[in-house]
Coordinates of all heavy atoms in Angstrom, one line a residue:
M1 N -4.4 7.5 -23.7 CA -4.8 6.8 -22.5 C -5.5 5.5 -22.8 O -6.4 5.4 -23.6 CB -5.8 7.7 -21.7 CG -6.0 7.2 -20.3 SD -7.0 8.4 -19.3 CE -5.8 9.8 -19.2
R2 N -5.0 4.4 -22.3 CA -5.5 3.1 -22.5 C -6.5 2.7 -21.5 O -6.4 3.0 -20.3 CB -4.4 2.1 -22.6 CG -3.4 2.2 -23.6 CD -2.3 1.1 -23.7 NE -1.8 0.9 -22.4 CZ -0.6 1.4 -21.9 NH1 0.0 2.3 -22.7 NH2 -0.1 1.0 -20.7
S3 N -7.5 2.0 -22.0 CA -8.4 1.4 -21.0 C -8.4 -0.2 -21.3 O -8.1 -0.6 -22.3 CB -10.0 1.9 -21.3 OG -10.0 3.1 -21.0
T4 N -8.7 -0.9 -20.2 CA -8.9 -2.3 -20.4 C -10.4 -2.6 -20.7 O -11.2 -1.8 -20.5 CB -8.5 -3.1 -19.1 OG1 -9.4 -2.7 -18.0 CG2 -7.1 -2.9 -18.7
A5 N -10.6 -3.7 -21.3 CA -12.0 -4.2 -21.6 C -12.5 -5.2 -20.8 O -11.8 -6.1 -20.4 CB -12.1 -4.4 -23.1
T6 N -13.8 -5.1 -20.5 CA -14.4 -6.2 -19.7 C -14.8 -7.3 -20.7 O -14.6 -7.2 -21.9 CB -15.7 -5.8 -19.0 OG1 -16.6 -5.3 -20.0 CG2 -15.4 -4.6 -18.0
T7 N -15.3 -8.5 -20.3 CA -15.6 -9.6 -21.1 C -16.7 -9.2 -22.1 O -16.7 -9.9 -23.2 CB -16.1 -10.8 -20.2 OG1 -17.1 -10.5 -19.4 CG2 -14.9 -11.3 -19.5
D8 N -17.5 -8.3 -21.8 CA -18.6 -7.9 -22.9 C -18.0 -6.8 -23.8 O -18.7 -6.3 -24.6 CB -19.8 -7.4 -22.2 CG -19.6 -6.2 -21.3 OD1 -18.6 -5.6 -21.2 OD2 -20.7 -5.8 -20.7
G9 N -16.7 -6.5 -23.7 CA -16.2 -5.5 -24.6 C -16.2 -4.0 -24.3 O -15.7 -3.1 -24.9
T10 N -16.8 -3.7 -23.1 CA -17.0 -2.3 -22.7 C -15.8 -2.0 -22.0 O -15.1 -2.8 -21.3 CB -18.3 -2.1 -21.8 OG1 -18.2 -2.9 -20.6 CG2 -19.5 -2.4 -22.5
A11 N -15.5 -0.6 -22.0 CA -14.3 -0.1 -21.3 C -14.5 -0.3 -19.8 O -15.5 0.1 -19.2 CB -14.1 1.4 -21.5
D12 N -13.4 -0.7 -19.1 CA -13.5 -1.0 -17.7 C -12.9 0.0 -16.9 O -13.6 0.6 -16.1 CB -12.9 -2.4 -17.4 CG -12.9 -2.8 -15.9 OD1 -13.8 -2.4 -15.2 OD2 -12.1 -3.6 -15.6
R13 N -11.6 0.4 -17.1 CA -11.0 1.3 -16.3 C -9.7 1.8 -17.2 O -9.3 1.1 -18.1 CB -10.6 0.8 -15.0 CG -9.7 -0.4 -15.1 CD -9.4 -1.1 -13.8 NE -9.0 -2.4 -13.9 CZ -7.9 -2.9 -14.6 NH1 -7.2 -2.0 -15.3 NH2 -7.7 -4.2 -14.6
V14 N -9.1 2.8 -16.7 CA -7.8 3.3 -17.3 C -6.8 2.5 -16.6 O -6.8 2.2 -15.4 CB -7.6 4.8 -17.0 CG1 -6.3 5.2 -17.5 CG2 -8.7 5.6 -17.7
T15 N -5.8 2.1 -17.4 CA -4.6 1.3 -16.9 C -3.9 2.1 -15.8 O -3.9 3.3 -16.0 CB -3.8 0.8 -18.0 OG1 -3.2 1.8 -18.6 CG2 -4.4 -0.2 -18.9
A16 N -3.3 1.5 -14.9 CA -2.6 2.2 -13.8 C -1.5 3.0 -14.4 O -1.2 4.1 -14.0 CB -2.0 1.2 -12.8
R17 N -0.8 2.5 -15.4 CA 0.3 3.3 -16.0 C -0.1 4.6 -16.6 O 0.6 5.5 -16.6 CB 1.1 2.4 -17.0 CG 2.4 2.9 -17.5 CD 3.1 2.0 -18.3 NE 3.7 1.0 -17.5 CZ 5.0 0.9 -17.2 NH1 5.8 2.0 -17.6 NH2 5.5 0.0 -16.5
D18 N -1.3 4.6 -17.0 CA -1.8 5.9 -17.7 C -2.5 6.9 -16.7 O -2.8 7.9 -17.1 CB -2.9 5.4 -18.7 CG -2.2 4.7 -19.9 OD1 -1.1 5.1 -20.2 OD2 -2.9 4.0 -20.6
L19 N -2.6 6.5 -15.4 CA -3.1 7.5 -14.5 C -2.0 8.5 -14.1 O -0.9 8.3 -13.9 CB -3.5 6.8 -13.2 CG -4.7 5.9 -13.3 CD1 -4.9 5.1 -12.1 CD2 -5.9 6.5 -13.6
Q20 N -2.5 9.8 -14.0 CA -1.6 10.9 -13.4 C -1.4 10.5 -12.0 O -2.2 9.9 -11.4 CB -2.2 12.1 -13.6 CG -2.3 12.6 -15.0 CD -2.9 14.0 -15.3 OE1 -3.3 14.7 -14.2 NE2 -3.0 14.4 -16.5
D21 N -0.3 11.1 -11.4 CA 0.1 10.8 -10.0 C -1.1 11.0 -9.0 O -1.4 10.1 -8.3 CB 1.3 11.6 -9.5 CG 2.6 11.1 -10.3 OD1 2.5 10.1 -10.9 OD2 3.6 11.8 -10.1
E22 N -1.7 12.1 -9.1 CA -2.7 12.5 -8.2 C -3.9 11.5 -8.4 O -4.5 11.0 -7.4 CB -3.2 13.9 -8.5 CG -4.3 14.4 -7.6 CD -4.7 15.8 -7.9 OE1 -3.9 16.7 -7.8 OE2 -5.9 16.0 -8.1
R23 N -4.2 11.0 -9.5 CA -5.3 10.1 -9.7 C -5.0 8.7 -9.3 O -5.7 8.0 -8.7 CB -5.8 10.0 -11.2 CG -6.9 9.1 -11.5 CD -8.2 9.8 -10.8 NE -9.3 8.9 -11.1 CZ -10.5 9.1 -10.6 NH1 -10.8 10.2 -10.0 NH2 -11.5 8.2 -10.7
L24 N -3.7 8.3 -9.5 CA -3.2 7.1 -8.9 C -3.3 7.0 -7.4 O -3.9 6.0 -6.9 CB -1.7 6.9 -9.3 CG -1.0 5.6 -8.8 CD1 -1.8 4.4 -9.3 CD2 0.4 5.6 -9.1
L25 N -3.0 8.1 -6.7 CA -3.1 8.1 -5.3 C -4.5 8.1 -4.8 O -4.8 7.3 -3.9 CB -2.5 9.4 -4.7 CG -0.9 9.3 -4.8 CD1 -0.3 10.7 -4.3 CD2 -0.3 8.2 -3.8
H26 N -5.4 8.8 -5.6 CA -6.8 8.7 -5.2 C -7.5 7.3 -5.4 O -8.2 6.7 -4.5 CB -7.5 9.7 -6.1 CG -9.0 9.6 -6.0 ND1 -9.6 10.2 -4.9 CD2 -10.0 9.1 -6.7 CE1 -11.0 10.0 -5.0 NE2 -11.3 9.3 -6.0
E27 N -7.0 6.7 -6.5 CA -7.5 5.3 -6.7 C -7.0 4.3 -5.6 O -7.8 3.4 -5.2 CB -7.1 4.8 -8.1 CG -7.7 5.5 -9.2 CD -9.0 5.0 -9.6 OE1 -9.4 3.9 -9.4 OE2 -9.8 5.9 -10.1
L28 N -5.8 4.5 -5.3 CA -5.3 3.6 -4.2 C -6.0 3.8 -2.9 O -6.4 2.8 -2.2 CB -3.8 3.8 -4.0 CG -2.9 3.1 -5.0 CD1 -1.4 3.8 -4.9 CD2 -2.8 1.7 -4.8
E29 N -6.3 5.1 -2.5 CA -7.0 5.5 -1.2 C -8.3 4.8 -1.4 O -8.8 4.3 -0.3 CB -7.1 7.0 -1.2 CG -5.7 7.6 -0.7 CD -5.7 9.1 -0.9 OE1 -6.9 9.7 -1.2 OE2 -4.7 9.7 -0.6
Q30 N -9.1 4.9 -2.5 CA -10.4 4.3 -2.6 C -10.4 2.8 -2.4 O -11.2 2.2 -1.7 CB -11.0 4.7 -3.8 CG -11.4 6.1 -4.0 CD -12.2 6.6 -2.9 OE1 -13.3 6.2 -2.6 NE2 -11.7 7.7 -2.2
L31 N -9.4 2.1 -3.0 CA -9.3 0.6 -2.9 C -8.9 0.3 -1.5 O -9.6 -0.7 -0.9 CB -8.3 0.1 -3.9 CG -8.7 0.0 -5.3 CD1 -7.5 -0.2 -6.2 CD2 -9.7 -1.2 -5.3
H32 N -8.0 0.9 -0.8 CA -7.7 0.6 0.6 C -8.9 0.9 1.5 O -9.1 0.1 2.4 CB -6.4 1.4 1.0 CG -5.1 0.9 0.3 ND1 -4.2 1.8 0.0 CD2 -4.9 -0.3 -0.2 CE1 -3.2 1.1 -0.6 NE2 -3.6 -0.2 -0.7
R33 N -9.7 1.9 1.2 CA -10.8 2.2 2.1 C -11.9 1.1 1.9 O -12.6 0.8 2.9 CB -11.4 3.6 1.6 CG -12.4 4.1 2.5 CD -12.9 5.5 2.1 NE -13.5 5.5 0.7 CZ -14.6 4.9 0.3 NH1 -15.3 4.4 1.1 NH2 -14.9 5.0 -1.0
T34 N -12.0 0.6 0.7 CA -13.2 -0.3 0.4 C -12.7 -1.8 0.6 O -13.6 -2.8 0.5 CB -13.8 -0.1 -0.9 OG1 -12.8 -0.3 -2.0 CG2 -14.3 1.3 -1.0
R35 N -11.5 -2.0 0.9 CA -10.9 -3.4 1.0 C -11.7 -4.4 1.9 O -12.1 -5.5 1.6 CB -9.5 -3.6 1.2 CG -8.8 -4.8 1.2 CD -9.0 -5.4 -0.2 NE -8.4 -6.9 -0.1 CZ -8.4 -7.7 -1.2 NH1 -8.9 -7.2 -2.3 NH2 -7.9 -8.9 -1.1
H36 N -11.8 -3.9 3.1 CA -12.4 -4.7 4.2 C -13.8 -5.1 3.8 O -14.2 -6.3 3.9 CB -12.3 -4.0 5.5 CG -12.8 -4.9 6.7 ND1 -12.1 -5.9 7.1 CD2 -13.9 -4.7 7.5 CE1 -12.7 -6.5 8.2 NE2 -13.8 -5.8 8.4
E37 N -14.6 -4.2 3.4 CA -16.1 -4.4 3.0 C -16.2 -5.4 1.9 O -17.0 -6.3 1.8 CB -16.7 -3.1 2.6 CG -18.2 -3.2 2.5 CD -18.9 -2.0 2.3 OE1 -18.6 -1.0 3.0 OE2 -19.7 -1.8 1.2
T38 N -15.2 -5.2 0.8 CA -15.2 -6.1 -0.3 C -14.8 -7.5 0.1 O -15.5 -8.4 -0.4 CB -14.3 -5.5 -1.4 OG1 -14.6 -4.2 -1.8 CG2 -14.3 -6.5 -2.6
F39 N -13.9 -7.6 1.0 CA -13.5 -8.9 1.5 C -14.5 -9.6 2.2 O -14.8 -10.8 2.0 CB -12.3 -8.7 2.4 CG -11.8 -10.0 2.9 CD1 -11.0 -10.9 2.2 CD2 -12.0 -10.3 4.3 CE1 -10.5 -12.0 2.7 CE2 -11.5 -11.6 4.8 CZ -10.8 -12.4 4.0
L40 N -15.3 -8.9 3.0 CA -16.3 -9.5 3.9 C -17.6 -9.8 3.1 O -18.2 -10.8 3.3 CB -16.5 -8.6 5.1 CG -15.6 -8.6 6.1 CD1 -16.0 -7.6 7.2 CD2 -15.2 -9.9 6.7
Y41 N -18.0 -8.9 2.3 CA -19.3 -8.9 1.7 C -19.4 -9.0 0.1 O -20.5 -9.3 -0.4 CB -20.2 -7.7 2.1 CG -20.1 -7.6 3.6 CD1 -19.5 -6.5 4.1 CD2 -20.7 -8.5 4.5 CE1 -19.5 -6.3 5.6 CE2 -20.7 -8.3 5.7 CZ -20.1 -7.2 6.4 OH -20.0 -7.1 7.8
G42 N -18.3 -8.9 -0.5 CA -18.3 -8.9 -2.0 C -18.4 -10.3 -2.5 O -17.9 -11.2 -1.9
S43 N -18.8 -10.4 -3.8 CA -18.9 -11.6 -4.5 C -17.4 -12.2 -4.8 O -16.4 -11.3 -4.7 CB -19.6 -11.5 -5.7 OG -18.8 -10.7 -6.6
D44 N -17.3 -13.3 -5.1 CA -15.9 -13.9 -5.4 C -15.3 -13.1 -6.6 O -14.1 -12.8 -6.5 CB -15.9 -15.3 -5.8 CG -16.3 -16.3 -4.6 OD1 -16.1 -15.8 -3.4 OD2 -16.6 -17.4 -4.8
D45 N -16.2 -12.8 -7.6 CA -15.8 -11.9 -8.7 C -15.3 -10.6 -8.3 O -14.3 -10.1 -8.8 CB -16.8 -12.0 -9.8 CG -16.3 -11.3 -11.1 OD1 -15.3 -11.8 -11.6 OD2 -16.9 -10.3 -11.6
A46 N -16.1 -9.9 -7.4 CA -15.8 -8.6 -6.9 C -14.4 -8.7 -6.1 O -13.5 -7.7 -6.3 CB -16.8 -8.1 -6.1
L47 N -14.2 -9.6 -5.4 CA -13.0 -9.8 -4.6 C -11.8 -10.0 -5.5 O -10.8 -9.4 -5.3 CB -13.1 -10.9 -3.6 CG -11.9 -11.1 -2.6 CD1 -11.6 -9.8 -1.8 CD2 -12.1 -12.2 -1.6
R48 N -11.9 -10.9 -6.5 CA -10.8 -11.0 -7.4 C -10.5 -9.8 -8.2 O -9.4 -9.5 -8.4 CB -11.3 -12.2 -8.5 CG -11.0 -13.6 -7.9 CD -11.1 -14.6 -9.1 NE -12.5 -14.6 -9.6 CZ -13.5 -15.3 -9.2 NH1 -13.4 -16.0 -8.1 NH2 -14.6 -15.2 -9.7
H49 N -11.6 -9.1 -8.6 CA -11.3 -7.8 -9.4 C -10.6 -6.7 -8.5 O -9.6 -6.1 -8.8 CB -12.5 -7.2 -10.0 CG -12.4 -5.9 -10.6 ND1 -11.9 -5.8 -11.8 CD2 -12.7 -4.7 -10.0 CE1 -12.0 -4.5 -12.2 NE2 -12.4 -3.8 -11.1
H50 N -11.1 -6.7 -7.2 CA -10.5 -5.8 -6.2 C -9.1 -6.0 -6.0 O -8.2 -5.2 -6.0 CB -11.3 -5.8 -4.9 CG -11.1 -4.6 -4.1 ND1 -10.1 -4.4 -3.3 CD2 -12.0 -3.5 -3.9 CE1 -10.3 -3.3 -2.6 NE2 -11.4 -2.7 -3.0
T51 N -8.7 -7.3 -5.9 CA -7.4 -7.8 -5.6 C -6.4 -7.6 -6.8 O -5.3 -7.0 -6.6 CB -7.3 -9.3 -5.3 OG1 -8.2 -9.5 -4.1 CG2 -6.0 -9.8 -5.1
R52 N -6.9 -7.8 -8.0 CA -6.0 -7.5 -9.2 C -5.9 -6.1 -9.4 O -4.7 -5.6 -9.7 CB -6.8 -8.1 -10.4 CG -6.6 -9.5 -10.7 CD -7.1 -9.9 -12.1 NE -8.5 -9.5 -12.4 CZ -9.5 -10.2 -12.2 NH1 -9.3 -11.4 -11.7 NH2 -10.7 -9.8 -12.5
R53 N -6.9 -5.2 -9.1 CA -6.8 -3.8 -9.3 C -5.8 -3.2 -8.3 O -4.9 -2.4 -8.6 CB -8.0 -3.1 -9.3 CG -8.0 -1.6 -9.5 CD -7.5 -1.3 -11.0 NE -7.9 0.2 -11.3 CZ -7.2 0.8 -12.3 NH1 -6.6 0.1 -13.2 NH2 -7.6 2.0 -12.5
S54 N -5.9 -3.6 -7.1 CA -5.1 -3.2 -6.0 C -3.6 -3.5 -6.3 O -2.7 -2.7 -6.1 CB -5.4 -3.9 -4.6 OG -6.8 -3.6 -4.2
A55 N -3.4 -4.8 -6.8 CA -2.0 -5.2 -7.1 C -1.4 -4.3 -8.2 O -0.3 -3.9 -8.2 CB -1.9 -6.6 -7.5
E56 N -2.3 -4.1 -9.2 CA -1.9 -3.2 -10.4 C -1.5 -1.9 -10.0 O -0.4 -1.3 -10.3 CB -2.9 -3.2 -11.4 CG -2.7 -2.3 -12.6 CD -3.9 -2.1 -13.5 OE1 -5.1 -2.4 -13.2 OE2 -3.6 -1.5 -14.6
L57 N -2.4 -1.2 -9.1 CA -2.1 0.2 -8.7 C -0.9 0.3 -7.7 O -0.1 1.1 -7.9 CB -3.4 0.7 -8.1 CG -4.5 0.9 -9.0 CD1 -5.8 1.3 -8.2 CD2 -4.2 2.0 -10.0
E58 N -0.8 -0.7 -6.8 CA 0.3 -0.7 -5.9 C 1.6 -0.9 -6.6 O 2.6 -0.3 -6.3 CB 0.0 -1.7 -4.9 CG -1.0 -1.3 -3.8 CD -1.4 -2.4 -2.9 OE1 -0.9 -3.6 -3.0 OE2 -2.2 -2.1 -2.0
A59 N 1.6 -1.7 -7.6 CA 2.9 -2.0 -8.3 C 3.3 -0.7 -9.1 O 4.5 -0.4 -9.2 CB 2.7 -3.2 -9.4
E60 N 2.3 -0.1 -9.7 CA 2.6 1.2 -10.5 C 3.1 2.2 -9.5 O 4.1 2.9 -9.8 CB 1.3 1.6 -11.1 CG 1.6 2.9 -11.9 CD 2.6 2.9 -13.0 OE1 3.0 1.7 -13.5 OE2 3.1 3.9 -13.4
Y61 N 2.5 2.3 -8.3 CA 3.0 3.3 -7.4 C 4.5 3.1 -7.0 O 5.2 4.1 -7.0 CB 2.1 3.3 -6.1 CG 2.5 4.2 -5.1 CD1 2.1 5.7 -5.1 CD2 3.4 4.0 -4.1 CE1 2.5 6.6 -4.2 CE2 3.8 5.0 -3.1 CZ 3.3 6.2 -3.2 OH 3.8 7.1 -2.4
L62 N 4.8 1.8 -6.7 CA 6.2 1.4 -6.3 C 7.1 1.6 -7.5 O 8.3 2.0 -7.2 CB 6.3 0.0 -5.8 CG 5.5 -0.2 -4.5 CD1 5.5 -1.7 -4.3 CD2 6.1 0.5 -3.4
R63 N 6.6 1.5 -8.7 CA 7.5 1.8 -9.9 C 7.9 3.2 -10.0 O 8.9 3.6 -10.3 CB 6.8 1.4 -11.2 CG 7.6 1.4 -12.4 CD 6.9 1.2 -13.7 NE 5.9 2.2 -13.9 CZ 6.3 3.4 -14.5 NH1 7.5 3.7 -14.8 NH2 5.3 4.2 -14.7
R64 N 6.7 4.1 -9.8 CA 7.0 5.5 -9.8 C 7.7 6.1 -8.6 O 8.5 7.0 -8.7 CB 5.7 6.2 -9.9 CG 4.9 6.0 -11.2 CD 3.7 6.9 -11.1 NE 2.9 6.4 -12.2 CZ 1.6 6.9 -12.5 NH1 1.3 8.1 -11.9 NH2 0.9 6.4 -13.5
F65 N 7.6 5.5 -7.5 CA 8.1 6.1 -6.3 C 9.0 5.0 -5.5 O 8.7 4.6 -4.4 CB 7.1 6.6 -5.3 CG 6.2 7.6 -6.1 CD1 4.9 7.3 -6.4 CD2 6.5 8.9 -6.3 CE1 4.1 8.2 -7.2 CE2 5.8 9.8 -6.9 CZ 4.5 9.5 -7.3
P66 N 10.1 4.6 -6.1 CA 10.9 3.5 -5.4 C 11.4 3.9 -4.1 O 11.7 3.1 -3.3 CB 11.9 3.1 -6.5 CG 12.0 4.3 -7.4 CD 10.6 4.9 -7.4
S67 N 11.7 5.3 -3.9 CA 12.2 5.8 -2.7 C 11.3 6.4 -1.9 O 11.5 7.4 -1.2 CB 13.4 6.8 -3.1 OG 14.4 6.1 -3.9
R68 N 10.1 5.9 -1.8 CA 9.0 6.5 -1.0 C 9.4 6.5 0.5 O 10.3 5.8 0.9 CB 7.7 5.7 -1.2 CG 7.7 4.4 -0.5 CD 6.5 3.5 -0.9 NE 6.5 2.4 0.0 CZ 7.2 1.3 0.0 NH1 8.3 1.2 -0.8 NH2 7.0 0.3 0.8
L69 N 8.8 7.5 1.1 CA 9.0 7.7 2.6 C 8.7 6.4 3.4 O 7.5 6.0 3.2 CB 8.3 8.9 3.1 CG 8.5 9.2 4.6 CD1 9.9 9.5 4.9 CD2 7.6 10.3 5.0
V70 N 9.5 5.9 4.1 CA 9.3 4.8 5.1 C 9.4 5.2 6.4 O 10.5 5.7 6.8 CB 10.2 3.5 4.7 CG1 9.9 2.5 5.7 CG2 9.9 3.2 3.2
T71 N 8.4 5.2 7.2 CA 8.4 5.6 8.6 C 9.1 4.6 9.4 O 8.8 3.4 9.4 CB 7.0 5.8 9.1 OG1 6.4 6.9 8.2 CG2 7.1 6.4 10.6
A72 N 10.1 5.0 10.3 CA 10.8 4.1 11.2 C 9.9 3.2 11.8 O 10.2 2.0 12.0 CB 11.8 4.8 12.0
G73 N 8.9 3.6 12.4 CA 7.9 2.8 13.2 C 7.2 1.8 12.4 O 6.6 0.8 13.0
R74 N 7.3 1.8 11.1 CA 6.7 0.8 10.2 C 7.6 -0.2 9.8 O 7.3 -1.0 8.8 CB 5.9 1.5 9.1 CG 4.9 2.6 9.4 CD 3.7 1.9 10.1 NE 3.0 1.0 9.3 CZ 2.0 0.3 9.6 NH1 1.5 0.3 10.8 NH2 1.4 -0.5 8.7
T75 N 8.8 -0.2 10.3 CA 9.7 -1.4 10.0 C 9.9 -2.4 11.2 O 9.3 -2.1 12.2 CB 11.1 -0.8 9.8 OG1 11.5 -0.2 11.1 CG2 11.1 0.3 8.7
R76 N 10.5 -3.5 10.9 CA 10.6 -4.5 12.0 C 11.4 -3.9 13.2 O 11.0 -4.2 14.2 CB 11.3 -5.8 11.4 CG 10.4 -6.6 10.6 CD 11.2 -7.8 10.2 NE 10.3 -8.6 9.4 CZ 10.7 -9.7 8.7 NH1 11.8 -10.1 8.7 NH2 9.8 -10.3 7.9
S77 N 12.4 -3.2 12.9 CA 13.3 -2.7 14.0 C 12.4 -1.6 14.8 O 12.5 -1.6 16.0 CB 14.6 -2.1 13.6 OG 14.3 -1.1 12.7
G78 N 11.6 -0.9 14.0 CA 10.7 0.1 14.7 C 9.7 -0.6 15.6 O 9.4 -0.1 16.8
A79 N 9.1 -1.7 15.1 CA 8.1 -2.3 15.9 C 8.8 -3.0 17.1 O 8.2 -3.1 18.2 CB 7.5 -3.5 15.0
R80 N 10.0 -3.6 17.0 CA 10.7 -4.1 18.2 C 11.0 -3.0 19.2 O 10.9 -3.2 20.3 CB 12.0 -4.8 17.6 CG 11.9 -6.0 17.0 CD 13.2 -6.8 16.8 NE 13.0 -7.7 15.7 CZ 13.5 -7.5 14.4 NH1 14.2 -6.4 14.2 NH2 13.3 -8.4 13.5
A81 N 11.4 -1.8 18.7 CA 11.6 -0.7 19.7 C 10.4 -0.4 20.5 O 10.4 -0.1 21.7 CB 12.1 0.5 18.9
R82 N 9.2 -0.3 19.8 CA 8.0 -0.1 20.4 C 7.6 -1.1 21.5 O 7.2 -0.8 22.5 CB 6.8 0.1 19.4 CG 6.6 1.4 18.7 CD 5.3 1.4 18.0 NE 4.9 0.3 17.2 CZ 5.2 0.0 16.0 NH1 6.0 0.8 15.4 NH2 4.8 -1.1 15.5
E83 N 7.8 -2.4 21.1 CA 7.6 -3.5 21.9 C 8.4 -3.4 23.3 O 8.0 -3.6 24.4 CB 7.7 -4.8 21.3 CG 6.7 -5.1 20.3 CD 7.0 -6.3 19.5 OE1 7.9 -7.0 19.7 OE2 6.2 -6.6 18.5
S84 N 9.7 -3.1 23.0 CA 10.6 -3.0 24.1 C 10.2 -1.9 25.0 O 10.3 -1.9 26.3 CB 12.0 -2.8 23.5 OG 12.9 -2.7 24.6
A85 N 9.9 -0.7 24.4 CA 9.5 0.4 25.2 C 8.3 0.1 26.1 O 8.1 0.5 27.2 CB 9.3 1.6 24.3
A86 N 7.4 -0.5 25.5 CA 6.1 -0.9 26.1 C 6.4 -1.8 27.4 O 5.8 -1.7 28.4 CB 5.1 -1.6 25.3
R87 N 7.3 -2.8 27.2 CA 7.6 -3.7 28.2 C 8.2 -3.0 29.4 O 8.0 -3.1 30.6 CB 8.5 -4.8 27.7 CG 7.8 -6.0 27.0 CD 8.8 -7.1 26.9 NE 9.9 -6.9 26.2 CZ 10.0 -6.9 24.7 NH1 8.8 -7.2 24.0 NH2 11.1 -6.6 24.1
I88 N 9.2 -2.1 29.1 CA 9.9 -1.3 30.1 C 8.9 -0.4 30.8 O 8.8 -0.3 32.0 CB 11.0 -0.3 29.4 CG1 12.2 -1.3 29.0 CG2 11.5 0.7 30.4 CD1 13.2 -0.5 28.1
E89 N 7.9 0.1 30.1 CA 6.8 1.0 30.8 C 6.0 0.2 31.6 O 5.6 0.7 32.7 CB 6.1 1.7 29.6 CG 5.1 2.8 30.2 CD 4.5 3.6 29.1 OE1 5.1 4.1 28.2 OE2 3.2 3.6 29.1
A90 N 5.7 -1.0 31.3 CA 4.8 -1.9 32.0 C 5.5 -2.6 33.2 O 4.8 -3.1 34.0 CB 4.2 -3.0 31.1
T91 N 6.9 -2.5 33.3 CA 7.5 -3.2 34.4 C 7.5 -2.3 35.6 O 7.8 -1.1 35.6 CB 9.0 -3.4 33.9 OG1 9.1 -4.1 32.8 CG2 9.7 -4.1 35.1
P92 N 7.0 -2.8 36.7 CA 6.9 -2.1 38.0 C 8.3 -1.7 38.4 O 9.2 -2.5 38.3 CB 6.2 -3.1 39.0 CG 5.8 -4.3 38.3 CD 6.4 -4.2 36.8
Q93 N 8.4 -0.6 39.1 CA 9.7 -0.2 39.6 C 9.7 -0.1 41.1 O 8.8 0.1 41.8 CB 10.1 1.2 39.0 CG 10.2 1.1 37.5 CD 10.7 2.3 37.0 OE1 11.0 3.3 37.6 NE2 10.8 2.4 35.6

């Protein structure tokens, strides 16, 4: 298992590629949960680190699961269908 090193030479974290699937998902969930707070209140360095780690973990997830489940409502056509249904529902009859 590989770790990256910080500028002072101490171990920072396990690389995304070396995480087991369950741990990778846990790390992604934690990063997504803390993103807004880091964006609003974190230092520039903390935000850069968060962004790099998020990109690393997300890329690894997509590499492992290229055929992940995509919900129809989370696509452009699904969003258009929702908007159309909302317009029809809001139209007086």
Side-chain angles (χ1 to χ4, degrees):
M1 191 174 291
R2 295 182 313 264
S3 293
T4 59
T6 60
T7 53
D8 64 2
T10 59
D12 182 24
R13 59 185 160 62
V14 175
T15 60
R17 191 171 284 260
D18 290 331
L19 293 171
Q20 293 181 357
D21 290 352
E22 185 176 302
R23 186 65 187 178
L24 175 64
L25 287 171
H26 176 76
E27 294 279 329
L28 279 166
E29 288 170 3
Q30 293 303 308
L31 280 166
H32 290 149
R33 186 181 56 76
T34 60
R35 180 63 181 181
H36 187 71
E37 186 175 315
T38 303
F39 179 74
L40 291 177
Y41 308 114
S43 66
D44 290 345
D45 188 51
L47 184 58
R48 276 190 300 275
H49 176 76
H50 202 280
T51 300
R52 275 193 308 270
R53 184 64 168 169
S54 296
E56 177 190 9
L57 293 172
E58 289 171 353
E60 180 60 21
Y61 182 87
L62 293 173
R63 185 189 71 76
R64 290 184 197 185
F65 305 103
S67 299
R68 71 193 194 289
L69 177 64
V70 176
T71 306
R74 301 295 296 175
T75 63
R76 284 185 181 172
S77 62
R80 285 189 204 106
R82 276 194 318 274
E83 290 170 4
S84 178
R87 277 194 300 277
I88 290 170
E89 188 174 305
T91 303
Q93 295 183 7

